[in-house]
Every structure is written in C-alpha cells, then in structure tokens.
Amino acid sequence: MKLDATDQKLLDLLQKDSNQTVKSLSQKLGKSTTPIFERIKKLEKEGLIKGYSARLNTKKIGLKQTVFIAISLQGHTRSYLEKFVKEINNFPEVVECHRVSGGFDYLLKLVVEDIEAYETFIITKLTLLPYLGNVQSHIVLSTSKETNEVDLSFLS
C-alpha cells in the first residue's frame, strides 16, 4: 500500500495520541469525518496499524528494572528457533523479543520489579531452557528516550 501525505499525517497523529476522535483527526487534517474513518479502517485492514495501546509508566506500577538480554542458542535449526520463541512468548517479564544478526541470535527486553526479580527470572525460567547457549545481561541504569513512534517524514 502506497501512503499519501494524508495517510502519513494521519498515522503520525494516531501515534502521538490514538485516543483522538475521528472528528478531531478530521479537523486537524482538514477533511470530513467519513473519509478519515475509512482511511483508518483501510490502514488497519492493510496491517499498517497493528493495534492501539496505552504506554504505561512502569516505575509507577512497581516495575522498576529494565534489562536487555543478548542470547545465543546452541543450535540454529528451525526447530530450536521455534521452540525458543514459543517459550519466551510465555514469559510475561519479556516485553520484546528480537531475532538479530551479529554475535547473538536474540535480544530480549525485560521489565521486572527489581534486580532480585530479574535474578529469579534467570534462575527459574531462562536457564531452564535446554537449548540456551551464551547469555549476556545488560542492566538499564537510566532511560533517556523510549517511544513507539516512528518518524514517517523520510517516506516523502
């Protein structure tokens, strides 16, 4: 699907605040509500909009520690990769799982209560995976930028 300028601006507005009404979006875009509503539905149907969610302040709800874990698997067969992803997707502490190139196979992002909760995760969950190879943890000390917004201006 080729995005025109209105689609790009609409996606930008929705990324900043997906709770906006169609009427509000229409006013900002200088269009009537029906075409904007139809564009949103088309963007959803085409998979450009995967869903809507609220970004939480994890620290205020008691999840104070973020950890990135770089993981190498012992093998690289399709079976190993599928089993690993299936297991990782069952762990609620894991909020992101990326298959990567380079020195590791996967990069995980975890959000947990504290360093003790992270240690418990490692001991009771991660290290029990039989096909696990090398594991490197990176404890986040502070975060200067965290967003889900994608700058679409490069598409023009």
Side-chain angles (χ1 to χ4, degrees):
M1 177 179 172
K2 180 106 170 103
L3 298 177
D4 64 17
T6 302
D7 291 328
Q8 290 179 26
K9 182 65 177 164
L10 178 58
L11 288 170
D12 186 54
L13 290 168
L14 286 169
Q15 284 187 105
K16 289 183 180 4
D17 180 7
S18 64
N19 205 26
Q20 297 178 71
T21 64
V22 173
K23 182 178 179 180
S24 171
L25 292 165
S26 299
Q27 290 170 343
K28 291 175 184 173
L29 293 167
K31 309 270 186 194
S32 62
T33 57
T34 301
I36 296 302
F37 177 79
E38 290 171 356
R39 279 179 186 261
I40 292 170
K41 291 301 169 198
K42 183 176 181 185
L43 292 166
E44 291 171 349
K45 183 181 177 201
E46 294 292 325
L48 279 85
I49 297 174
K50 297 192 310 186
Y52 301 92
S53 62
R55 286 190 305 131
L56 304 179
N57 183 333
T58 55
K59 289 184 179 15
K60 287 197 176 204
I61 59 174
L63 300 172
K64 297 180 176 108
Q65 188 63 64
T66 301
V67 181
F68 288 92
I69 306 174
I71 296 175
S72 294
L73 300 180
Q74 290 176 356
H76 295 94
T77 66
R78 182 180 201 148
S79 173
Y80 267 32
L81 300 176
E82 288 173 353
K83 287 177 186 176
F84 177 77
V85 169
K86 184 178 179 183
E87 290 290 332
I88 288 301
N89 286 337
N90 288 326
F91 299 150
E93 300 89 346
V94 177
V95 295
E96 293 181 24
C97 175
H98 304 275
R99 185 161 182 224
V100 297
S101 65
F104 292 91
D105 299 316
Y106 287 92
L107 181 64
L108 308 180
K109 179 181 179 182
L110 277 70
V111 180
V112 292
E113 294 88 351
D114 50 31
I115 202 69
E116 290 83 10
Y118 171 65
E119 182 181 22
T120 299
F121 170 82
I122 292 294
I123 293 168
T124 64
K125 294 180 179 178
L126 192 63
T127 57
L128 299 181
L129 299 177
Y131 31 83
L132 206 59
N134 190 18
V135 176
Q136 280 189 8
S137 298
H138 305 274
I139 308 297
V140 174
L141 302 176
S142 66
T143 301
S144 59
K145 181 177 181 180
E146 186 175 52
T147 182
N148 290 330
E149 293 179 28
V150 177
D151 183 355
L152 301 175
S153 63
F154 70 92
L155 295 174
S156 302

